[in-house]
């Protein structure tokens, strides 16, 4: 929730500075700096989220996957304990789509950030 509040406040400031561009051209730099800052903020949030979900909490997610597998199929916990490497491999396969989506989000934000920084240093803002 805090992330969206920060984003909304930043978006309002970016919009305000963009509208005040008519008064003084320097406001466009404030707007660009705020937009770059919010991109860096979301890039850090997405990377931390990726690390927490797919690197640190793998065991917890695997346990949840096994519980869902037991509840939705005719498997028992003994079946899973007999061949844990097979089910862990299936678990890793099931995470591919989620991982690719998270990596795509990070790449989109990184692309926007790089374009903002290159626009800022080129001097062709508006």
């Amino acid at each position: 929730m805090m992330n969206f509040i920060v984003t909304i406040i930043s978006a309002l400031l970016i919009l305000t500075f963009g509208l005040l561009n008519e008064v003084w051209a320097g406001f466009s730099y404030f707007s660009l700096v705020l937009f770059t800052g919010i991109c860096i903020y979301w890039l850090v949030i997405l990377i931390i989220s990726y690390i927490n979900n797919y690197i640190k909490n793998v065991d917890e997610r695997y346990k949840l996957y096994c519980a869902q597998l037991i509840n939705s199929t005719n498997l028992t916990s003994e079946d899973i304990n007999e061949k844990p490497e097979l089910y862990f491999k299936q678990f890793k396969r099931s995470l591919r789509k989620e991982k690719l989506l998270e990596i795509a989000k990070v790449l989109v934000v990184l692309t926007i950030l790089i374009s903002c920084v290159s626009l800022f240093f080129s001097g062709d803002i508006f």
Side-chain angles (χ1 to χ4, degrees), residues 63-101:
K63 289 177 186 175
L64 180 65
Y65 173 78
C66 289
Q68 288 175 344
L69 197 61
I70 290 169
N71 289 335
S72 64
T73 62
N74 291 334
L75 290 174
T76 62
S77 59
E78 290 82 23
D79 294 336
I80 293 176
N81 290 336
E82 287 176 6
K83 301 176 187 175
E85 62 277 345
L86 174 73
Y87 292 105
F88 192 73
K89 188 176 180 181
Q90 287 178 353
F91 166 69
K92 287 289 197 175
R93 241 184 263 140
S94 70
L95 288 180
R96 283 185 189 159
K97 186 176 180 181
E98 287 181 37
K99 280 184 174 182
L100 287 176
L101 185 63

Side-chain angles (χ1 to χ4, degrees), residues 32-42 113:
L32 187 62
V33 166
L34 272 172
F35 191 69
T36 304
I38 202 67
C39 285
I40 291 171
Y41 177 77
W42 273 105
L113 177 66

Side-chain angles (χ1 to χ4, degrees), residues 17-18 20-21 24-33 125-126:
F17 288 142
L20 289 174
N21 188 25
W24 179 51
F27 281 121
S28 60
Y29 289 104
F30 290 142
S31 179
L32 187 62
V33 166
I125 291 187
F126 289 99

